[in-house]
Amino acid sequence: MTMSLTSPDRGWLLEHIDYNSGALEGLHRALISIVDHAADARVVLRNIDGGLEGRGAAIADVQTDAGDIAGDVGRTVATLGRIAEVVRGYGEAVSAHARAANDLVDDIERAHRAVADAEGTAAEAASRQTGLADDATPAEVSRADGAVESAAEDLAARRRELADLWAQWEASYALWDDAYGSALAALVAADVSSLPAHVRSAIEALAHADSPAEVAEIWASLTEDQRTDLIDRRAEFVGNLEGVPYAVRFAANRSAFERVLDGGPYGKPLDDQLEQLSLELGDDLGGQLLMFHPFEEPQATAAVVYGASSGDDPFAGVTNVNALVGGMFSGLGDLEAWGQSARDLNVFAEAYGDPGTRSVSIAWYGYDSPNLLTEHTMGSATEGAARLSSTLRGLDNEVSSAVTTSVIGHSYGSTTSFLAVGGAGDDLGVDRLVAVGSAGVPDGYHANWTGDAPMDYSGTEVFTSRAPWDFVARYGEVSSFGHGMNPEDIPGATTFESDGGTAPSLQGTPEDVAGTPGHAAHDGGNSIIGWWEKGNGYLSRDSESFRNIANIVANGEVLQ
């Protein structure tokens, strides 16, 4: 991320394009190697089909099987060959256009600062000129006029330089953006050589869209046949595309999910995760699949929505939407507990809120969460923030502006969440940011190291809590390289308690609530105290922390 600047003609956010040319080249070589070896295997199979000596039913069966397998291998080889060409072409485009665009980012930022300085100098010169006394000497008048003229010329030159840099950046960025869209469309269609023209045109248009709003506009323009065929043939593409209506995405991802189940088993941990996901998506728990990447490495990613309505408008009557983001070691294996927290949050927010309050919550597992070796860095947060930003922009496009959106991050999940919102050019539609057990949020070291502008949380309310004995969170902050800021130190942040006491029940009467003894989101203290306990984590329904969160998302304030 960089300064929050947008290009003058296209309105594009100035950003560095993330890419790895070496990885793309390595992937291309690996695909070509597979194609070559598969082609050799196909020759062997064809030889068996046509030249295996002997007679009888067994020989005939082997020949038939060899021929069938050779045909399947041939189709797979053709698909891999097309994918290899897509990777090669995109790698070349990245090397040429993305690099050129990235090289201009620092120059544009310097040019913007130079324009601002020149504008200040011009304003000062004009002020001195208008402030001349009536009895100023001709020499003084001449110097003031000369200063104004010189400042105006310098300002004009600085603006021309900036405009030229912007033009170069927009040209390079547009070429990369086109290459990215083309590569995405080609990958979606790579293993279906006979896609109908109307489906290919729909994929091409959607893959080149630059925002959820543009995707929504293109989707609305498609014919019913295009939409139906696209979902039937490429459910995973439609289901994960921000800007496609949520009701459509839910149905598409359900279809993709069932296809994945039919293709199993895959081994652990994915089989266990898919089994739990099946329960969450069942009628009893009512989850809806918003995002689904089961084969992503190094861990599967997904997002499950709880509380949405059936029908064309899943958010009909909804007043607040909440996204729960996990931290270190979090993943789909934790979905049982996090799904329960999402459902509990809906129940308590609706009980705590005014009449008519209706809540929807999302358990978001959209990134490769860090481990003990990577938690100290910003690598996972940077990847996660980009993914979370995309989800939040899609959500902002889906829901009414009257809906209050809250993001709740636990541990390193707060690092990721605060980077996403504080590092964006806008607030992503997020009204409230909540950090519990925070491992620290982006700090000055992060900004100096990456060249990012300081985090900007303006327009977003910040709430935060750390349990008194949560040493894990404090260690994560002080030992980090880039997330060493306590969210309590953010100007305007509101702190809330998580050490136990009383809080309103669902009926509004006071009841005892648990203190969180350590760092856990749900069970156990993760410290020298309370490690054996259950139901006392920051996001457990009977903890003081959780009740505060429910009141924050419903009413925008902590419990008193």
Side-chain angles (χ1 to χ4, degrees), residues 292-338:
F292 184 50
H293 300 287
F295 304 116
E296 201 158 55
E297 292 292 343
Q299 66 183 68
T301 58
V304 182
V305 179
Y306 299 91
S309 302
S310 58
D312 293 338
D313 184 5
F315 293 100
V318 169
T319 57
N320 57 275
V321 180
N322 320 296
L324 301 173
V325 183
M328 184 170 65
F329 293 125
S330 65
L332 282 177
D334 309 315
L335 185 55
E336 181 179 4
W338 284 78

Side-chain angles (χ1 to χ4, degrees), residues 198-199 202 216 218-233 238 248:
H198 70 284
V199 175
I218 293 169
W219 183 263
S221 72
L222 299 180
T223 66
E224 192 63 34
D225 285 345
Q226 282 179 304
R227 295 176 194 163
T228 301
D229 287 351
L230 187 53
I231 294 170
D232 288 344
R233 295 169 180 268
V238 175
V248 175

Side-chain angles (χ1 to χ4, degrees), residues 75 80 88 101 161 166 216 241 252 271 273 310 345 351 372 383 402 434-435 447 465 486:
R75 286 186 288 273
L80 291 174
R88 181 193 59 76
E161 179 183 1
W166 270 124
L241 193 57
D271 285 344
Q273 294 169 348
S310 58
L345 187 55
L372 288 172
E383 175 208 341
V434 183
S465 181
N486 187 337

Side-chain angles (χ1 to χ4, degrees), residues 28 47 70 95 112 127 160 189 197 228 231 292 299 385 407 416 418 447 449 452 460 500 507 528 539 550-551:
H28 178 256
N47 288 337
S95 296
H112 261 277
S127 177
R160 285 193 299 271
T228 301
I231 294 170
F292 184 50
Q299 66 183 68
V407 179
T416 300
F418 278 60
W449 181 48
D452 293 356
T460 302
Q507 292 72 37
I528 60 174
L539 297 176
N551 202 61

Side-chain angles (χ1 to χ4, degrees), residues 408-449:
I408 301 101
H410 170 252
S411 187
Y412 194 91
S414 69
T415 309
T416 300
S417 302
F418 278 60
L419 179 59
V421 177
D426 55 13
D427 59 16
L428 302 178
V430 175
D431 301 288
R432 294 165 189 155
L433 265 176
V434 183
V436 286
S438 176
V441 297
D443 57 15
Y445 177 88
H446 168 68
N448 292 333
W449 181 48

Side-chain angles (χ1 to χ4, degrees), residues 71-136:
D72 291 340
V73 169
R75 286 186 288 273
T76 301
V77 167
T79 297
L80 291 174
R82 288 192 291 270
I83 293 174
E85 282 304 300
V86 171
V87 171
R88 181 193 59 76
Y90 179 65
E92 292 175 353
V94 159
S95 296
H97 309 310
R99 181 175 299 162
N102 286 351
D103 288 345
L104 289 164
V105 170
D106 290 343
D107 292 338
I108 290 174
E109 291 182 339
R110 282 193 293 269
H112 261 277
R113 287 190 287 268
V115 167
D117 291 343
E119 288 173 341
T121 300
E124 290 176 5
S127 177
R128 286 194 297 270
Q129 183 189 50
T130 57
L132 286 174
D134 293 339
D135 59 350

